[in-house]
Amino acid sequence: MAATVIDGKAFAVRIREKVAGHVARLKEEHGITPGLAVVLVGEDPASQVYVRSKGKQTAEVGMKSVEHKLDVDTAEADLLALIDQLNNDPEIHGILVQLPLPKHLDEDLVINAISPAKDVDGFHISNVGLLSTGQKSMVPCTPLGCLMMLRDHHGSLSGLNAVVIGRSNIVGKPMAQLLLGDSCTVTIAHSRTKDIADVVRRADIVIAAVGRPEMVPGDWIKPGATVIDVGINRIERDGKNKLVGDVDYASVSEVAGAITPVPGGVGPMTIACLLANTVTACARANGLSEPEGLTA
């Protein structure tokens, strides 16, 4: 029996509707408009498309959208000065510096220059530490989106075995922390994991986030497991470019109980959760109650 498809595109629409409703209430009841500033350094085509999409969706939910586009050779001191300016701007509640940065810029230095309270990407070392110790933090957008979809599908995640394939700071590690927070038993698998197929087969939940096209075949999956495919890989097949995930969708979908497609699964949730994080940051900055259903 084919797996249930978890429609991230439709789920993201519901998240944006919740965000828009909360933004409207902030404006009406408190005279506050949440503001998101996105900083793009250079001319990376994929980053430009992503930033345009962020700006469009930010405006659509009623928030203030600010974009700063800097030359590829922008000095580190100038970028840090801009971040300091945004940190001190009361109309900006979320700051995102689009990655990757040009090689002459220190990504860690830049990320950690952002105020943790405005770090809507959840990459600041303070937010990483807060998340890992179970405290209130800004949570990275992609893992947050995955968690929302899992909670929606399963209800309670308590006691489920989860395997996260990939140990990146952006997805793998924070995803594991979020699953632990929901009382899953969590294993992180990676390139050095022995007998990785056997490790994955024990999982009720599989999160694939390694950036290797169709790495996970159907015979790695426990029948009925939920598979969240974070990978977005562009490959050539039959003379055409195609987007595929980190799992082999054709074989995995015949075994899994539920699966996210690529495209249309995790991807749309990332920007939706960025908007959710910005509203959350705005509420916290003003001592107001946080929006329900938009946080970890």
Side-chain angles (χ1 to χ4, degrees):
M1 184 174 175
T4 298
V5 177
I6 299 175
D7 188 342
K9 195 171 181 180
F11 200 110
V13 169
R14 300 204 300 273
I15 295 298
R16 291 197 300 272
E17 287 173 350
K18 286 184 180 179
V19 170
H22 202 79
V23 169
R25 286 192 294 275
L26 284 170
K27 289 180 176 179
E28 182 179 347
E29 297 174 12
H30 304 283
I32 301 168
T33 300
L36 173 64
V38 177
V39 180
L40 174 64
V41 185
E43 304 288 337
D44 180 77
S47 292
Q48 288 181 322
V49 170
Y50 200 44
V51 166
R52 277 199 300 272
S53 181
K54 287 173 181 173
K56 180 173 179 287
Q57 292 189 38
T58 302
E60 285 174 351
V61 297
M63 295 198 292
K64 178 180 179 179
S65 175
V66 177
E67 291 181 14
H68 293 273
K69 296 181 179 179
L70 307 180
D71 292 337
V72 68
D73 58 355
T74 294
E76 194 168 79
D78 292 335
L79 176 55
L80 293 174
L82 173 59
I83 292 172
D84 184 61
Q85 175 189 324
L86 295 171
N87 283 339
N88 291 290
D89 186 341
E91 294 188 358
I92 297 298
H93 304 94
I95 302 169
L96 182 149
V97 177
Q98 183 65 40
L99 303 178
L101 290 171
K103 290 182 179 180
H104 71 283
L105 299 173
D106 183 334
E107 286 192 356
D108 289 338
L109 180 67
V110 170
I111 289 168
N112 289 317
I114 299 170
S115 166
K118 296 188 178 187
D119 168 38
V120 286
D121 252 342
F123 295 162
H124 191 287
I125 190 66
S126 293
N127 282 319
V128 173
L130 290 167
L131 177 61
S132 68
T133 52
Q135 300 180 69
K136 185 183 291 186
S137 68
M138 299 306 301
V139 176
C141 301
T142 299
L144 178 58
C146 295
L147 183 71
M148 287 180 176
M149 289 190 289
L150 285 168
R151 285 174 172 172
D152 183 72
H153 180 72
H154 284 278
S156 172
L157 305 182
S158 180
L160 296 179
N161 287 313
V163 171
V164 179
I165 309 174
R167 50 180 167 176
S168 72
N169 293 330
I170 293 174
V171 179
K173 291 175 185 175
M175 188 74 248
Q177 297 291 350
L178 289 172
L179 291 166
L180 281 172
D182 270 29
S183 298
C184 289
T185 299
V186 182
T187 301
I188 300 180
H190 47 77
S191 60
R192 302 293 178 88
T193 300
K194 294 180 180 179
D195 301 321
I196 188 170
D198 288 338
V199 171
V200 176
R201 282 190 196 104
R202 294 195 292 269
D204 303 304
I205 295 169
V206 178
I207 312 285
V210 287
R212 290 180 56 186
E214 300 176 329
M215 169 187 164
V216 180
D219 64 5
W220 285 21
I221 301 301
K222 175 182 177 180
T226 301
V227 179
I228 305 293
D229 191 349
V230 181
I232 301 178
N233 310 285
R234 192 175 296 277
I235 64 169
E236 187 173 316
R237 180 171 291 161
D238 300 326
K240 297 179 181 178
N241 284 327
K242 184 180 180 182
L243 284 178
V244 299
D246 289 349
V247 307
D248 176 28
Y249 188 87
S251 64
V252 171
S253 63
E254 292 298 317
V255 183
I259 188 171
T260 57
V262 176
V266 174
M269 289 294 292
T270 299
I271 295 181
C273 288
L274 172 68
L275 303 179
N277 276 351
T278 303
V279 170
T280 298
C282 178
R284 290 176 182 174
N286 289 280
L288 302 172
S289 58
E290 297 178 18
E292 290 185 13
L294 298 179
T295 62

